[in-house]
Amino acid sequence: LGGLHPCSDFFAQVALRPTALTSEDKTRQCLATASDLSTLQVQRSLALTTTPNWKAIKVPITFENSPATVSVWSTSLSISEEDASQRLFMRLVVHSDYISSDIRFQVRFSGRYIADTQVTSHGYADMIGPLDPGVYYIDMYYVAGTGGSAGVKLCSTSMVDLRIVSRSTYGKGHTT
């Protein structure tokens, strides 16, 4: 593993599809209607976590000359002492299409990353918490593809569910 210390496992996701097979018309149409992510927010919700609260997003994806993480959205979330006493959890779920890109989340608290990137990628439902008082920084990003022509654009049609839920609604009627 490139000089890393021995580990029990590692995680990899691979999707291959020649960019020549993508429909230029569909890509152009998707890019023209790309989502305004500035309105995207983490919602405070009383709905059960078993009931999805999906928001469709269209994200332009650009190939680069070398691998790089590209931020597409970020926000901060403040949790007060009173909020923390309610045993709040952060639910971040993304369903990305894998062919154009793998959109992921990362969360920082007190200057360090607290989310495993495996569980904040496609299809995983991560419940981070209970949340401590303080400011959480949430970033949504993708790893830019390489090997194609730099500047090639694709469009990722993805779904996200971003919520803060209380422990009572997280576990109500369900065992974890």
Side-chain angles (χ1 to χ4, degrees):
L1 296 175
L4 295 177
H5 294 288
C7 57
S8 63
D9 59 7
F10 66 94
F11 180 77
Q13 293 174 327
V14 177
L16 300 174
R17 180 177 178 153
T19 56
L21 294 179
T22 59
S23 166
E24 287 185 35
D25 289 336
K26 285 184 181 178
T27 299
R28 213 177 351 264
Q29 182 182 8
C30 183
L31 290 171
T33 58
S35 300
D36 175 9
L37 297 180
S38 67
T39 62
L40 191 62
Q41 295 180 0
V42 178
Q43 302 292 318
R44 290 183 184 253
S45 175
L46 295 177
L48 291 174
T49 57
T50 55
T51 305
N53 187 16
W54 296 116
K55 176 164 176 59
I57 59 171
K58 294 179 183 177
V59 179
I61 306 296
T62 305
F63 279 57
E64 301 291 338
N65 288 325
S66 60
T69 58
V70 178
S71 179
V72 294
W73 174 81
S74 61
T75 192
S76 61
L77 179 68
S78 294
I79 301 297
S80 68
E81 292 281 344
E82 182 180 335
D83 290 338
S85 70
Q86 297 175 32
R87 297 184 45 83
L88 298 179
F89 286 74
M90 188 182 316
R91 174 182 165 87
L92 303 175
V93 186
V94 62
H95 283 272
S96 53
D97 63 14
Y98 271 149
I99 298 301
S100 62
S101 110
D102 180 17
I103 293 180
R104 295 174 174 246
F105 290 102
Q106 188 50 270
V107 181
R108 286 179 292 128
F109 179 70
S110 296
R112 59 186 186 95
Y113 292 103
I114 61 169
D116 180 349
T117 55
Q118 175 180 343
V119 296
T120 55
S121 64
H122 176 83
Y124 290 89
D126 193 19
M127 298 294 284
I128 300 172
L131 300 176
D132 292 325
V135 179
Y136 292 79
Y137 297 94
I138 305 164
D139 295 305
M140 183 170 31
Y141 68 96
Y142 67 89
V143 177
T146 62
S149 301
V152 168
K153 287 192 180 249
L154 297 176
C155 187
S156 173
T157 302
S158 302
M159 305 282 281
V160 295
D161 185 355
L162 313 171
R163 291 188 270 169
I164 297 295
V165 296
S166 72
R167 177 70 173 120
S168 59
T169 59
Y170 170 46
K172 183 182 253 179
H174 301 279
T175 56
T176 55

